[in-house]
């Protein structure tokens, strides 16, 4: 079985600019460290614990991946409009 990542938002998937939400991610069928990255830190930042901060309006992708094995990854696609973030999982 190939490793995969199961991920959801901790509480809400709509966050006003300047606020945060946390991604709860679990690695299945493998051991290792999950890493997080944003395609655009100008739109949303994500820290090493999966806490996402909405920075400005726009669109970006938050990628969660297994350190050392980027074939095991999961993407959150986000669109920021009218000072809100919406998740399209």
């Amino acid at each position: 079985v190939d490793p995969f990542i199961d991920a959801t938002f901790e509480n809400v998937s709509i966050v006003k600019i300047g606020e945060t939400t946390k991604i709860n991610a679990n690695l299945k069928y493998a051991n290792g460290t999950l890493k997080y990255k944003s395609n655009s830190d100008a739109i949303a930042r994500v820290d090493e614990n999966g806490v996402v901060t909405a920075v400005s309006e726009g669109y970006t992708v938050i990628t969660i991946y297994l350190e050392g094995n980027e074939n095991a990854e999961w993407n959150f696609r986000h669109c920021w409009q009218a000072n809100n973030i919406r998740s399209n999982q």
Side-chain angles (χ1 to χ4, degrees), residues 26-79:
N26 296 298
L27 180 61
K28 305 290 185 176
Y29 303 109
N31 294 313
T33 302
L34 292 177
K35 297 288 189 172
Y36 303 84
K37 62 184 174 184
S38 173
N39 281 8
S40 176
D41 286 338
I43 296 172
R45 290 188 309 267
V46 60
D47 71 13
E48 66 278 358
N49 298 309
V51 176
V52 180
T53 302
V55 177
S56 67
E57 292 183 37
Y59 176 85
T60 193
V61 174
I62 304 296
T63 301
I64 308 165
Y65 63 95
L66 176 59
E67 184 176 45
N69 181 1
E70 293 195 23
N71 291 324
E73 70 173 25
W74 199 90
N75 293 314
F76 278 102
R77 291 170 180 82
H78 299 290
C79 184

Side-chain angles (χ1 to χ4, degrees), residues 1-2 4 7 11 17 20 28 48 67 78 81 86-87:
V1 176
D2 291 331
F4 70 93
N11 45 22
I17 290 174
T20 63
K28 305 290 185 176
E48 66 278 358
E67 184 176 45
H78 299 290
Q81 297 177 3
R86 297 186 185 275
S87 173

